[in-house]
Amino acid sequence: MLNLERLRTLDAVARHGSVSGAAEGLHVTTSAVSQQLSKLEREVGQRLLAKNGRGVRLTDAGLLLAEHAARILSQVQLAQADIEAQRGRVVGEVRTAAFPTAARGLFPAALVALRRDHPELRVRTTELEPEPGVRAVLRGDADLALVLDWSNKRAPVPGGLERTHLLDDTADVALPAGHPLADREAVDLEDFADEEWVSWPEGEFCHDWLMFTLRSQGIEPRIGHFAGENHTQLALVAAGLGVCVTPRLGRPLPEGVTFVPVRQKMQRHVYAIWRADAGRRPSLQAVVEALRAAARPRTD
């Protein structure tokens, strides 16, 4: 009979594309992964891995068995979810990921409530940008992730995942306190056509959104600085080195920065996503409800 843990190891290699990636995802050593795969090869009587340059690739037999392993593990997830639901207890562990402002703005209140209401539940958190968060849930490295899209640039949800809307997060323009427009009640994006901008790093969803949004207003943006963390962006603005778009969720309030609303309202939508085969778990449902409650006071 095929060993479930060895099938889980093969599935991790298929999903991560390498032994080292599988080891990291499973939180074990690379030698432990290699040993499990060697035992699985002996069980099936066929080679499952072949050398590919400095790495490895799955053989035809490995690919075939990995497809079966993915289906088996999904069915195991469903069985675990059904058993947990039948017991009706919120216990065990839920691994969560969130982009930094959501982690800062939602996790503390949600985690305090979960610790109070469900003391047998352990919630692990990590910061991940939305795209890596989606991949982590798809790979099974996270049970739930907080992700986003924007009103004028939507992001599809991959197959096999479910999502629920948590909140709409309005964004303002952040200006140096001494900027000529800092005392306005509202501004238009066209007012900043000649400004230097601070942006998220190239290739990130929010950077692409910023470029798309500014260009749709006839502005060819001049990006002077790239920074992934909101604190860093605002520190550059406070130093008079540019302006930036700043969502309100989890926003720090540094000295020397003024936030001005934009007449063409900019909103990003924050969602929780999880694998469909885990959706019936009471523990997962409890985390989603705690996140909804944490988001409620922040709804505009």
Side-chain angles (χ1 to χ4, degrees):
M1 181 176 293
L2 294 173
N3 180 279
L4 185 61
E5 285 309 308
R6 290 166 198 160
L7 290 177
R8 195 183 305 277
T9 302
L10 179 65
D11 176 68
V13 172
R15 288 185 287 105
H16 290 273
S18 68
V19 170
S20 59
E24 183 177 351
L26 294 170
H27 307 290
V28 299
T29 64
T30 55
S31 62
V33 170
S34 298
Q35 289 172 16
Q36 289 281 62
L37 292 173
S38 295
K39 291 177 181 178
L40 185 57
E41 285 183 331
R42 289 197 293 272
E43 282 181 348
V44 300
Q46 293 195 62
R47 292 285 302 278
L48 302 176
L49 294 179
K51 289 190 177 298
N52 184 29
R54 295 183 178 180
V56 296
R57 62 173 177 82
L58 293 179
T59 64
D60 289 345
L63 289 169
L64 178 62
L65 187 56
E67 290 177 4
H68 283 287
R71 289 195 291 270
I72 291 167
L73 293 170
S74 178
Q75 195 62 41
V76 169
Q77 278 271 27
L78 284 170
Q80 290 174 333
D82 284 346
I83 289 296
E84 192 176 319
Q86 194 271 338
R87 291 169 62 193
R89 295 178 59 205
V90 179
V91 297
E93 179 178 271
V94 176
R95 301 160 298 164
T96 63
F99 54 96
T101 53
R104 185 164 58 242
L106 297 179
F107 272 168
L111 294 173
V112 167
L114 287 166
R115 182 172 292 183
R116 179 194 65 226
D117 298 337
H118 305 290
E120 295 181 83
L121 175 66
R122 181 187 177 201
V123 182
R124 289 172 49 194
T125 68
T126 188
E127 284 190 1
L128 280 179
E129 292 297 334
E131 290 182 0
V134 170
R135 292 196 295 270
V137 175
L138 284 170
R139 291 196 305 257
D141 297 337
D143 299 305
L144 177 147
L146 300 187
V147 300
L148 63 86
D149 62 20
W150 293 83
S151 296
N152 61 339
K153 193 172 180 64
R154 309 312 292 261
V157 176
L161 299 185
E162 294 181 358
R163 76 175 183 181
T164 188
H165 174 262
L166 295 178
L167 77 154
D168 295 327
D169 185 22
T170 298
D172 305 312
V173 174
L175 312 171
H179 193 282
L181 301 179
D183 60 351
R184 294 275 190 91
E185 291 186 4
V187 293
D188 296 308
L189 289 177
E190 295 93 321
D191 296 334
F192 305 97
D194 298 324
E195 296 283 349
E196 196 166 46
W197 287 83
V198 180
S199 170
W200 294 271
E202 289 181 301
E204 287 193 7
F205 182 76
C206 286
H207 169 81
D208 295 342
W209 165 82
L210 180 63
M211 298 299 99
F212 172 81
T213 300
L214 293 175
R215 286 169 179 158
S216 69
Q217 299 298 318
I219 302 169
E220 185 54 41
R222 294 190 300 119
I223 308 298
H225 306 280
F226 296 93
E229 224 326 301
N230 198 217
H231 284 83
T232 306
Q233 292 181 1
L234 294 178
L236 291 166
V237 172
L241 298 172
V243 301
C244 73
V245 169
T246 305
R248 295 176 185 176
L249 177 64
R251 182 164 70 192
L253 300 172
E255 293 183 6
V257 177
T258 298
F259 303 101
V260 183
V262 179
R263 290 188 183 91
Q264 309 99 317
K265 195 170 186 179
M266 300 182 295
Q267 281 191 326
R268 62 181 187 174
H269 311 293
V270 180
Y271 306 94
I273 64 167
W274 59 88
R275 287 172 62 108
D277 55 18
R280 291 196 288 269
R281 291 174 56 192
S283 55
L284 191 64
Q285 294 171 5
V287 173
V288 171
E289 287 306 313
L291 288 166
R292 282 201 187 105
R296 211 164 286 132
R298 302 175 183 276
T299 304
D300 290 339

